[in-house]
Amino acid sequence: MGTAAPGGNVAGASDDPELCRQVGAAVARGVKALGFNWNFAPVLDLNNNVDNPVISERSFGSDPKRASELALAWMDGSLAEGVACCVKHFPGHGDTNVDSHRDLPTVNKSLAELQALELAPFQTAVSRNAPAMMTAHIVYPALDAENPATMSKPILTGLLRDQWNYQGVVITDGMDMHAIAGRYGVGNAAVRALLAGADMVMALGTTETQLETLNALTEVILSGQISLAEVQQKLQRMADLTKTYPCIDTAYQTDIADRILMSSAWKRGLTTQGNAQPPVRGSKLRLVISADVVSDGVSEAGIPAAKVSAMLASLYDVETVTFANADSFDWCAIPDDGRFVVLASTVRIRYSKQVRDTWKPDLHLVLWNPFQMLDIQAPALITYGFAPPAIDAARAWFAEEVVASGQIPVAGFSTPAA
């Protein structure tokens, strides 16, 4: 059912609010047909740190005003189709080089800096009545030096509820993430999140951790530490969301049209860097690519090398060279035989200095983290993802059927179209 929707960076690269609205609506139609009434999207985190290991292609851009316009246009499309959204990760997960799935990040900015950047999209979302907001497992010393936002009363109650008068549902990010579970324990953290002002706790993980969460919440409610009135208020916010956006048994009648829309959106986001040009059709090409990109437990598995090779083989005489580990791969061992060399980057992590200093392809095909194009000194085609329609979009560019008109939605990059 349906097809893979482009992420925020594709939308940002297209710089088209109407396209964002259409994509948000199409995603909602697919979600609704599956029986769901709530989608934990879109991301409002700004793409303002090129070393960020987890946001990158999910963000709509680095400029708070434009990223807000695009992301909230996406939200409007979803809401119009009857599916609630949850903007995230408040107060902003963009400017960190630590993945909160693995450890507890800190965004050490002044209040003025946070207000100008990280906080701005969320304040706009509040003014637009976003139905729900997800918290970030990050410490912001200017707002609360002791607690991550998920467990911070000054942030969730003092700022979000009291100062901004936000009336929607506040839900935590996954409480099984190491930033929380590894430091505070899931039960203790769940209690602290509700006391801070969250309405819902995302109790992911094993049955044991979920039971630990439920038991801890039951105990704190029975003890009166959270009053019955507070519990009822939290329940009412959730009831209001489900009343406004109910689950409806709906047939998916726009599958073909939505597939066409998603395909077009992926193509609209295609971006080139360094005057990238496709090699002549039918020419000899050498693809250099990771042999196998398995899931690291946080990110999904990358695209298999065979799929990228097959895409290029439909246009070129392709020889594929795979590597198991980028740092141990000897670029100098590649034959200097006149074949056009394409490096396809299919992992999210950035390249090491050794790779940056020695790898010299003719073209860099960036299929995941767009900031990898900073690591390789070569012309680049950036797709912002490797879902089937992204690979189809890349093929269309190689076949010269489309022009890459996208612009990297991050300040400081010059990205002339091919």
Side-chain angles (χ1 to χ4, degrees):
M1 177 180 289
T3 190
N9 251 195
V10 176
S14 73
D15 197 30
D16 185 345
E18 175 56 22
L19 180 63
C20 292
R21 186 197 65 77
Q22 292 176 14
V23 169
V27 170
R29 288 191 288 270
V31 168
K32 186 167 55 176
L34 292 170
F36 296 100
N37 64 333
W38 196 7
N39 186 4
F40 289 170
V43 162
L44 288 185
D45 306 311
L46 299 178
N47 218 349
N48 53 356
N49 188 325
V50 298
D51 295 319
N52 192 307
V54 67
I55 298 301
S56 59
E57 77 282 354
R58 301 160 70 189
S59 169
F60 285 77
S62 65
D63 178 74
K65 184 174 185 297
R66 193 57 175 166
S68 298
E69 290 171 353
L70 297 172
L72 296 180
W74 194 102
M75 181 183 79
D76 288 343
S78 180
L79 300 184
E81 291 290 336
V83 174
C85 287
C86 180
V87 297
K88 59 186 185 182
H89 306 81
F90 176 75
H93 203 318
D95 197 3
T96 172
N97 60 3
V98 175
D99 182 354
S100 55
H101 290 90
R102 303 189 181 284
D103 205 347
L104 182 63
T106 295
V107 175
N108 200 6
K109 288 185 171 181
S110 68
L111 179 59
E113 289 174 313
L114 291 173
Q115 289 173 331
L117 291 170
E118 278 74 15
L119 293 175
F122 293 97
Q123 192 162 13
T124 301
V126 169
S127 72
R128 295 275 293 276
N129 298 314
M133 191 171 295
M134 185 182 294
T135 66
H137 301 330
I138 299 178
V139 175
Y140 306 81
L143 302 175
D144 184 342
E146 301 298 325
N147 302 293
T150 293
M151 302 187 300
S152 170
K153 191 163 188 176
I155 294 175
L156 300 189
T157 298
L159 177 62
L160 188 56
R161 296 293 191 199
D162 296 342
Q163 292 186 39
W164 291 1
N165 194 33
Y166 181 58
Q167 300 300 311
V169 173
V170 174
I171 181 170
T172 72
D173 205 345
M175 299 297 274
D176 61 328
M177 294 162 63
H178 290 295
I180 297 297
R183 286 174 176 262
Y184 306 100
V186 292
N188 173 53
V191 168
R192 291 175 62 177
L194 259 63
L195 288 172
D199 299 310
M200 295 181 69
V201 171
M202 194 188 299
L204 303 180
T206 65
T207 302
E208 289 74 18
T209 60
Q210 292 178 8
L211 288 173
E212 181 183 341
T213 299
L214 288 172
N215 291 336
L217 294 178
T218 299
E219 183 177 336
V220 78
I221 291 170
L222 292 176
S223 73
Q225 193 175 355
I226 297 178
S227 70
L228 181 59
E230 289 175 302
V231 173
Q232 289 174 333
Q233 187 178 42
K234 295 175 189 297
L235 293 172
Q236 187 60 52
R237 290 192 188 104
M238 290 180 270
D240 290 344
L241 183 146
T242 55
K243 181 179 179 181
T244 305
Y245 303 97
C247 288
I248 300 174
D249 186 10
T250 306
Y252 191 21
Q253 299 178 332
T254 59
D255 185 21
I256 294 175
D258 288 346
R259 287 176 184 271
I260 294 171
L261 171 65
M262 297 304 187
S263 175
S264 174
W266 280 103
K267 290 171 182 173
R268 288 278 303 279
L270 285 175
T271 302
T272 55
Q273 179 78 2
N275 194 30
Q277 301 290 335
V280 175
R281 190 165 183 162
S283 60
K284 295 181 183 238
L285 183 149
R286 179 172 288 111
L287 171 66
V288 180
I289 187 170
S290 176
D292 189 19
V293 184
V294 299
S295 171
D296 60 3
V298 175
S299 299
E300 64 269 37
I303 185 170
K307 290 189 176 182
V308 181
S309 181
M311 178 272 286
L312 291 171
S314 69
L315 299 169
Y316 304 104
D317 175 356
V318 176
E319 174 188 292
T320 301
V321 176
T322 62
F323 57 87
N325 182 291
D327 289 333
S328 60
F329 179 71
D330 183 6
W331 189 269
C332 295
I334 296 175
D336 184 11
D337 56 4
R339 280 186 180 263
F340 187 94
V341 179
V342 174
L343 167 65
S345 291
T346 57
V347 298
R348 179 176 257 167
I349 59 172
R350 296 282 301 278
Y351 287 112
S352 68
K353 184 178 187 304
Q354 184 271 332
V355 171
R356 295 196 301 268
D357 289 345
T358 59
W359 288 21
K360 307 294 180 184
D362 297 304
L363 178 70
H364 186 192
L365 177 57
V366 186
L367 293 174
W368 198 335
N369 183 346
F371 294 128
Q372 286 176 326
M373 66 91 178
L374 297 171
D375 300 332
I376 306 296
Q377 296 305 305
L381 173 67
I382 305 166
T383 64
Y384 307 99
F386 52 84
I391 300 304
D392 291 343
R395 186 195 182 281
W397 180 84
F398 278 102
E400 300 187 77
E401 296 168 357
V402 298
V403 172
S405 59
Q407 301 289 311
I408 297 177
V410 178
F413 292 94
S414 174
T415 55

